[in-house]
Amino acid sequence: MKNKNNLDPEKAEKLLFQMLLMRKFEEKSAELYTKEKIRGFLHLYIGEEAVATGIIQALKPEDYILATYREHAHALARGVDAGVIMAEMYGKQEGCSRGRGGSMHLFDKEKNFFGGNAIVSGHLPLATGMALASKKLKRDNITVCFFGEGAAAEGEFHEALNLASLWKVPVLFVCENNLYAMGTALRYTHAVQEIEKKGPAYGIESKAVDGMDLLKLMEAANKAVEQVRSSGEPYLLVCNTYRFRAHSMFDAELYRDKTEVEKWKKRDPIPKFRKYLLKENLISEAKVQELEKRLNTEIQKAVDLAEAGTWEAKEELTRFVYSENPVS
Amino acid sequence: MSELKKITYREALKAGIREALLNDDRVFLMGEDVGRYGGAFAVSKSLLEEFGEDRIMDVPLSESGFVGAGIGASLAGMKPIVEVMTVNFGLLPMDQIVNNAATLLHMSGGQLNVPVVIRMSCGIGKQLAAQHSHSWEPLFAHIPGLVVVSVGTHEDARGMLHTALEHPDPVIIFEYTSMLNLEAEIQIDAGHTDISRAKVRREGKDISIITYGIGVYKALEAAKRLSEQGIDAEVIDLRVLRPLDEDCFIKSVSKTHRALLVEEAWASVNISSEVSARIMENAFYELDAPVKRLGGSEVPIPYPLHLENASVPQVEDIENAVIKILRP
């Protein structure tokens, strides 16, 4: 039985579990970072989980996904194993990028997950090109490209949107507008702060959606994905959201007020969705508790896998600078 | 002996592109003015009429965007030939080339191949001044993950693209503006170029002139004049600037015991610097004289013809440098 939001208990449970897993996985990551198990940059998505969840649930496995360096949640939503992601963050060769990428560079070609891209806006032209290939090869998959509002100030955002529209290729641009490009607020970086106004300049249909509400996101994502798939043309969906944690683990958050963070935390998408499911009888309290338990097992399993993982031999350092079979 | 055919460098390049398009449906050419204009240097003239606009794509002036899109299309199964009108505009897509094309395979732990081919015209044209005349092969040859090749002869102008497209890794091809109208005879069945090997263009026993690109014909002309003076120079066309075919020039220097390194690129930190270092490391005790370099003058290349000529090594300079090494 599906309710008016097209949710049945099975899907409801899956989505709630997914968001809880994202949250818990990252809380655990932060803890492991302080223990120096995870090093380098670690960018947490906490607070923004509804966006990756809402968009990726609308996709087919053959659709291509490109994300930013804040992409643990996207990889989880795409079905990359939590242990494999954790191993990657440990730098172990059991990780999805052989341990070479770390937190910012999760790749899983088999799952059509193309990163993990840490040059802001650098992956937007790639997304347009991948969609161009789908069009040329007459495949019916689409490409989805996540980026922050900071990326929309880069030239490559504008070039990629123009090319995608000019070529009429099936790409969904998803702007995760969390209001801060690192520590600089939207109002200091964009003359026009409604990112959705930038799509129509290139002839791209654009829409803004509440990025803290999974139901609204699912509705917007389903529509956007369906439109990209049927029209073969690009679409820009701006998800207005907020990260509850610092930009990275090095960030003292001098640029924003604690009360602002507290205010946004009241809109936390996870309790909101849970409450809705309980109210609609799509899930029971007992089931929620069971999920919490399963969650702990899952996280522990992931950490165990990472801990048991092995280091790539130093002798392999230069492997894959070039392909191992130079002429295909 | 197969039949010889007289052909310009431009016609040879075009023949290479045409063959590639006929050979594989996944191949397409994109670049500024490659279609309706016929190519900024008329290299792709009439290909649009022959192959249609899906395969000969005019693109807007957005180098980062369309080079990135080429990289993306190659990730998703196409074989793009991306033309950047000249290397002088090649710094705009440098982020795409370095941070994406050259990096993705290694960073993804060997998962993502980027079989894109990027062609750029290079070197002095005819009094085109400081923003259209440079030779920046060394900038690109610095980057691990790229295959960087240089088209120094008509034979390679026709035969290099095929092999470059077969390569599973990104290949940057440098072509030379000033050679476009140059005619030469090539064997009709010369075949494809091995882009992993340098080539001995003239055998000799007294000195190795090691060069690439525009330097090849200049060195051959100098060698011809030197032979009239009883000096037998060997001319090596490096052809692939990364990864360098060290064996070829070490073998040559071990035979001739002297080396002159010639190129148009700025003299400091150029290809010759690297070749020289490798000779010191691998053939120091073979040398009968210090290695000498002839590079481009370290200035933005100016407009007046006499100053433009003075900016890069000429045939007489090569001739004189050889004589100075051999008859000090």
Side-chain angles (χ1 to χ4, degrees), chain B residues 205-239:
Chain B
K205 59 179 180 6
D206 295 330
I207 185 166
S208 304
I209 305 176
I210 303 169
T211 185
Y212 63 89
I214 294 185
V216 178
Y217 286 138
K218 283 185 177 174
L220 286 169
E221 175 60 24
K224 199 172 129 199
R225 293 187 196 173
L226 288 162
S227 73
E228 290 157 13
Q229 301 168 59
I231 294 171
D232 187 14
E234 179 145 301
V235 175
I236 307 265
D237 175 3
L238 288 170
R239 200 151 68 175

Coordinates of all heavy atoms in Angstrom, one line a residue, chain B residues 205-239:
Chain B
K205 N 77.3 9.8 -37.3 CA 78.3 9.2 -36.3 C 79.0 10.3 -35.4 O 79.6 10.0 -34.4 CB 79.3 8.3 -37.0 CG 80.1 9.0 -38.0 CD 81.1 8.0 -38.6 CE 82.0 8.6 -39.7 NZ 82.0 10.0 -40.1
D206 N 78.9 11.6 -35.8 CA 79.7 12.6 -35.1 C 79.0 13.2 -34.0 O 79.7 13.7 -33.0 CB 80.1 13.7 -36.1 CG 81.0 13.1 -37.2 OD1 81.8 12.1 -36.9 OD2 81.0 13.6 -38.4
I207 N 77.7 13.4 -34.0 CA 77.0 14.2 -33.0 C 75.5 13.8 -33.1 O 75.0 13.5 -34.1 CB 77.2 15.7 -33.1 CG1 76.5 16.4 -31.9 CG2 76.6 16.2 -34.4 CD1 76.9 17.9 -31.8
S208 N 74.8 13.8 -31.9 CA 73.4 13.6 -31.9 C 72.7 14.9 -31.7 O 72.9 15.6 -30.7 CB 73.0 12.7 -30.8 OG 73.7 11.4 -30.8
I209 N 71.9 15.3 -32.7 CA 71.0 16.5 -32.5 C 69.6 15.9 -32.1 O 69.0 15.2 -32.8 CB 70.9 17.3 -33.8 CG1 72.2 17.7 -34.4 CG2 70.0 18.5 -33.6 CD1 72.2 18.4 -35.7
I210 N 69.3 16.3 -30.9 CA 68.1 15.7 -30.3 C 67.0 16.8 -30.2 O 67.2 17.8 -29.6 CB 68.3 15.1 -28.9 CG1 69.4 14.0 -29.0 CG2 67.1 14.5 -28.3 CD1 70.0 13.6 -27.7
T211 N 65.9 16.6 -30.9 CA 64.9 17.6 -31.0 C 63.5 17.1 -31.1 O 63.3 15.8 -31.0 CB 65.3 18.5 -32.2 OG1 64.4 19.7 -32.2 CG2 65.2 17.8 -33.5
Y212 N 62.5 17.9 -31.4 CA 61.2 17.5 -31.7 C 60.4 18.6 -32.3 O 60.9 19.8 -32.4 CB 60.4 17.0 -30.4 CG 60.3 18.2 -29.4 CD1 59.1 19.0 -29.4 CD2 61.2 18.4 -28.4 CE1 59.0 20.0 -28.5 CE2 61.1 19.5 -27.5 CZ 59.9 20.3 -27.6 OH 59.8 21.3 -26.7
G213 N 59.2 18.3 -32.9 CA 58.4 19.4 -33.4 C 59.1 20.1 -34.6 O 59.7 19.5 -35.4
I214 N 59.0 21.4 -34.5 CA 59.5 22.3 -35.6 C 61.0 22.0 -35.7 O 61.6 22.2 -36.8 CB 59.3 23.8 -35.3 CG1 57.8 24.1 -35.3 CG2 60.1 24.7 -36.2 CD1 57.5 25.5 -35.1
G215 N 61.7 21.6 -34.6 CA 63.1 21.4 -34.7 C 63.5 20.3 -35.6 O 64.7 20.3 -36.1
V216 N 62.6 19.3 -35.9 CA 63.1 18.2 -36.7 C 63.5 18.6 -38.1 O 64.7 18.2 -38.5 CB 61.9 17.1 -36.8 CG1 62.3 15.9 -37.7 CG2 61.5 16.7 -35.4
Y217 N 62.7 19.3 -38.9 CA 63.1 19.6 -40.2 C 64.3 20.6 -40.2 O 65.2 20.6 -41.0 CB 62.0 20.2 -41.0 CG 61.0 19.2 -41.5 CD1 59.6 19.4 -41.4 CD2 61.4 17.9 -42.0 CE1 58.7 18.4 -41.8 CE2 60.5 17.0 -42.4 CZ 59.1 17.2 -42.3 OH 58.2 16.3 -42.7
K218 N 64.3 21.5 -39.2 CA 65.4 22.4 -39.0 C 66.7 21.7 -38.8 O 67.8 22.0 -39.4 CB 65.2 23.4 -37.9 CG 64.2 24.5 -38.2 CD 64.1 25.5 -37.1 CE 63.1 26.7 -37.4 NZ 62.9 27.6 -36.3
A219 N 66.7 20.7 -37.9 CA 67.9 19.9 -37.6 C 68.3 19.1 -38.8 O 69.5 19.0 -39.1 CB 67.6 19.0 -36.4
L220 N 67.3 18.6 -39.6 CA 67.7 17.8 -40.8 C 68.3 18.7 -41.8 O 69.3 18.3 -42.5 CB 66.4 17.1 -41.4 CG 65.9 15.9 -40.6 CD1 64.5 15.5 -41.1 CD2 66.8 14.8 -40.7
E221 N 67.8 19.9 -42.0 CA 68.4 20.9 -42.9 C 69.9 21.2 -42.4 O 70.8 21.3 -43.3 CB 67.6 22.1 -43.0 CG 68.1 23.3 -43.8 CD 68.3 22.9 -45.3 OE1 67.7 21.9 -45.8 OE2 69.2 23.5 -45.9
A222 N 70.0 21.5 -41.1 CA 71.3 21.8 -40.6 C 72.3 20.6 -40.8 O 73.5 20.8 -41.2 CB 71.3 22.1 -39.1
A223 N 71.8 19.4 -40.6 CA 72.6 18.2 -40.8 C 73.1 18.1 -42.3 O 74.2 17.7 -42.6 CB 71.8 16.9 -40.4
K224 N 72.2 18.4 -43.2 CA 72.5 18.4 -44.6 C 73.6 19.4 -44.9 O 74.6 19.0 -45.6 CB 71.2 18.8 -45.4 CG 71.3 18.3 -46.9 CD 69.9 18.6 -47.5 CE 70.1 19.4 -48.8 NZ 68.9 20.0 -49.3
R225 N 73.5 20.6 -44.4 CA 74.6 21.6 -44.6 C 75.9 21.1 -44.0 O 77.0 21.3 -44.5 CB 74.2 22.9 -44.0 CG 73.0 23.6 -44.7 CD 72.7 25.0 -44.2 NE 71.4 25.4 -44.5 CZ 70.9 26.6 -44.1 NH1 71.6 27.3 -43.2 NH2 69.7 27.0 -44.4
L226 N 75.8 20.5 -42.8 CA 77.0 20.1 -42.1 C 77.7 19.0 -42.8 O 78.9 18.9 -42.8 CB 76.6 19.6 -40.6 CG 76.2 20.8 -39.7 CD1 75.4 20.2 -38.5 CD2 77.5 21.5 -39.2
S227 N 76.9 18.1 -43.5 CA 77.5 17.0 -44.2 C 78.4 17.5 -45.3 O 79.4 16.9 -45.6 CB 76.4 16.1 -44.7 OG 75.8 16.7 -45.8
E228 N 78.0 18.7 -45.8 CA 78.9 19.3 -46.9 C 80.2 19.8 -46.3 O 81.2 20.1 -47.0 CB 78.2 20.5 -47.5 CG 77.0 20.0 -48.4 CD 75.9 21.1 -48.6 OE1 76.2 22.3 -48.3 OE2 74.8 20.7 -49.1
Q229 N 80.2 19.9 -44.9 CA 81.5 20.4 -44.3 C 82.2 19.2 -43.6 O 83.0 19.3 -42.7 CB 81.1 21.4 -43.2 CG 80.5 22.7 -43.8 CD 79.9 23.6 -42.8 OE1 80.6 24.1 -41.9 NE2 78.6 23.8 -42.8
G230 N 81.7 18.0 -44.0 CA 82.4 16.8 -43.5 C 81.9 16.4 -42.1 O 82.6 15.6 -41.4
I231 N 80.8 16.9 -41.6 CA 80.3 16.5 -40.3 C 79.0 15.6 -40.5 O 78.1 16.0 -41.2 CB 79.9 17.7 -39.4 CG1 81.2 18.5 -39.1 CG2 79.2 17.3 -38.2 CD1 81.0 19.9 -38.5
D232 N 79.0 14.5 -39.9 CA 78.0 13.5 -40.0 C 77.1 13.5 -38.8 O 77.4 12.9 -37.8 CB 78.6 12.1 -40.3 CG 77.5 11.1 -40.6 OD1 76.4 11.5 -40.9 OD2 77.9 9.9 -40.6
A233 N 76.0 14.3 -38.8 CA 75.1 14.4 -37.6 C 74.0 13.4 -37.6 O 73.4 13.2 -38.7 CB 74.6 15.9 -37.5
E234 N 73.7 12.9 -36.5 CA 72.5 12.1 -36.3 C 71.4 13.0 -35.8 O 71.6 13.8 -35.0 CB 72.8 11.0 -35.3 CG 71.6 10.0 -35.0 CD 72.0 8.6 -34.8 OE1 72.7 8.0 -35.7 OE2 71.7 8.0 -33.7
V235 N 70.1 12.8 -36.3 CA 69.0 13.6 -35.9 C 68.0 12.7 -35.2 O 67.4 11.8 -35.9 CB 68.4 14.4 -37.0 CG1 67.1 15.2 -36.6 CG2 69.4 15.4 -37.6
I236 N 67.7 13.0 -34.0 CA 66.7 12.2 -33.2 C 65.4 13.1 -33.1 O 65.5 14.2 -32.6 CB 67.2 11.9 -31.8 CG1 68.5 11.2 -31.9 CG2 66.1 11.1 -31.1 CD1 68.5 9.7 -31.9
D237 N 64.3 12.5 -33.5 CA 63.0 13.2 -33.2 C 62.4 12.5 -32.0 O 62.0 11.3 -32.0 CB 62.1 12.9 -34.5 CG 60.7 13.4 -34.3 OD1 60.4 14.0 -33.2 OD2 59.9 13.2 -35.2
L238 N 62.4 13.2 -30.9 CA 61.9 12.6 -29.6 C 60.5 12.1 -29.8 O 60.1 11.1 -29.2 CB 61.9 13.6 -28.5 CG 63.3 14.0 -28.0 CD1 63.2 15.2 -27.0 CD2 64.0 12.8 -27.3
R239 N 59.7 12.8 -30.5 CA 58.3 12.4 -30.9 C 57.4 12.3 -29.7 O 56.4 12.9 -29.6 CB 58.3 11.1 -31.7 CG 57.1 10.9 -32.4 CD 57.3 10.1 -33.7 NE 57.7 8.7 -33.4 CZ 57.8 7.8 -34.3 NH1 57.7 8.1 -35.6 NH2 58.2 6.6 -34.0

